[in-house]
Amino acid sequence: MRKKILAIALATTMAFSTAVVAVPANKNVAEAAVGDATVKDLDIGDAFTANTGDEDVSGNFQLVYKFTNKSVGTNNWDNYIVEIFDGAGQYISTRADNFGWFAGTWVDDGSTMEWGDGAADWSTYLEVMKDASVTVTVKRVGSKITITNNIVSNADSSKSYKFVANCNVPNAADALKVHITGEKVGLSGITTEYKKVSASNKSNSSSSSKKKSMSVKKVTAKAGTKVVKGSVSVAKAKVKVTVGKDKAKTAKVSGKNFTLKVSSKLKKNTKITVKVTKSGYKTVTKTVKVK
């Protein structure tokens, strides 16, 4: 599968509710229909082979999905995936294991994606995702798109996770689409809640805004070689590199430069995702293709 990026947090068990669509008298027909396209139950085999249905949204909005996630796979990514896209090749994909990426022109047009910390215990995470209550909140205010994920074990409500992807997409169209997809997972009891929001609402978390910014300056990945290398804007950061469908691997870092040696030769157009983390800094990712 495309390796398209959970800090443990105390949370109470999240109960499911019936679908609620806010339809004030001054809203147009298109807005009133948000939520109608979403199916209630969905079984997904191979990655991205099925989704909940495209919901058309525009302007500043908040769309909340609630559902039960039952993973039937063995990998971190064998769970739900949230996608926001324009229908013309540009999209954001974020996975349930705190990982994500851009596609189309959003890859290199200055769009950014920032994440919180990863799961403290992946074995516990995998157990939780076999039967978990999930609330996903997708909010857009201007160029800021925030995907907030709350996950609670149905077997043990003391085991819960919350993580946020803060995206800045300056060239996103006014009209967008949203759906939930995934890999080797069953989604059930899916409901939606939709509302328009004002431009005064802040989509970035306050904790994220207090952190310093950093960036991936360069990534080099040439076909026929076995090395991915590059540089970041700060020294001694932690760099993880995902090559195609392989699991993310930790690169060797020297100052601001990083190097990852892979076992087989890189193939042209293979997707490379670089995720950089450092205490006190906002997590950043960059996606490129092997040239």
Side-chain angles (χ1 to χ4, degrees):
M1 145 176 185
R2 297 176 288 176
K3 296 303 174 275
K4 288 181 165 189
I5 317 183
L6 287 160
I8 296 180
L10 287 175
T12 56
T13 302
M14 287 171 274
F16 290 95
S17 62
T18 56
V20 176
V21 180
V23 192
N26 62 341
K27 299 303 178 185
N28 60 36
V29 174
E31 291 173 349
V34 173
D36 291 351
T38 299
V39 301
K40 304 307 177 186
D41 302 284
L42 184 67
D43 288 320
I44 308 171
D46 293 337
F48 316 110
T49 52
N51 63 66
T52 58
D54 296 346
E55 294 294 351
D56 292 305
V57 292
S58 62
N60 299 325
F61 68 89
Q62 177 175 287
L63 179 60
V64 180
Y65 288 91
K66 294 183 180 182
F67 54 90
T68 297
N69 181 106
K70 292 188 176 182
S71 175
V72 294
T74 58
N75 300 302
N76 294 342
W77 53 84
D78 291 333
N79 291 290
Y80 73 88
I81 297 170
V82 183
E83 295 195 307
I84 303 99
F85 54 104
D86 63 3
Q90 284 62 247
Y91 63 80
I92 304 168
S93 290
T94 64
R95 293 193 323 216
D97 60 342
N98 200 27
F99 187 81
W101 64 100
F102 292 108
T105 60
W106 294 352
V107 171
D108 53 12
D109 71 346
S111 295
T112 59
M113 184 182 298
E114 299 169 350
W115 292 84
D117 298 328
D121 184 346
W122 284 113
S123 61
T124 300
Y125 162 81
L126 290 171
E127 192 65 29
V128 167
M129 299 308 290
K130 290 180 180 178
D131 186 2
S133 291
V134 179
T135 299
V136 174
T137 302
V138 180
K139 179 186 285 188
R140 176 184 182 174
V141 179
S143 65
K144 309 292 185 181
I145 299 176
T146 302
I147 304 98
T148 303
N149 301 260
N150 285 282
I151 301 171
V152 181
S153 168
N154 286 328
D156 182 352
S157 61
S158 68
K159 296 176 181 178
S160 61
Y161 303 91
K162 178 179 179 179
F163 61 97
V164 182
N166 287 305
C167 304
N168 181 34
V169 191
N171 296 317
D174 181 72
L176 296 173
K177 298 177 183 292
V178 185
H179 66 216
I180 307 289
T181 181
E183 181 173 4
K184 296 181 181 178
V185 64
L187 308 179
S188 60
I190 306 167
T191 67
T192 58
E193 296 179 12
Y194 168 79
K195 67 178 181 180
K196 300 293 287 183
V197 298
S198 67
S200 61
N201 285 330
K202 295 182 179 180
S203 59
N204 281 347
S205 65
S206 58
S207 60
S208 176
S209 63
K210 293 178 182 179
K211 294 183 178 180
K212 298 177 184 179
S213 296
M214 60 180 174
S215 63
V216 180
K217 306 297 286 186
K218 181 181 179 182
V219 180
T220 301
K222 295 182 178 180
T225 69
K226 293 185 177 182
V227 178
V228 178
K229 59 184 179 180
S231 61
V232 298
S233 60
V234 298
K236 299 181 179 179
K238 184 177 182 180
V239 179
K240 285 195 172 184
V241 179
T242 302
V243 179
K245 295 183 178 181
D246 295 339
K247 291 184 178 180
K249 295 182 179 179
T250 301
K252 182 179 180 181
V253 176
S254 177
K256 296 182 179 181
N257 300 316
F258 65 87
T259 304
L260 176 70
K261 294 183 179 180
V262 296
S263 57
S264 57
K265 293 182 179 179
L266 297 172
K267 295 181 180 180
K268 189 175 181 179
N269 292 326
T270 299
K271 183 180 293 183
I272 306 290
T273 301
V274 177
K275 180 180 179 180
V276 185
T277 58
K278 186 175 182 178
S279 178
Y281 288 81
K282 298 175 183 178
T283 298
V284 295
T285 63
K286 185 176 181 66
T287 302
V288 300
K289 289 185 178 181
V290 176
K291 295 181 179 180

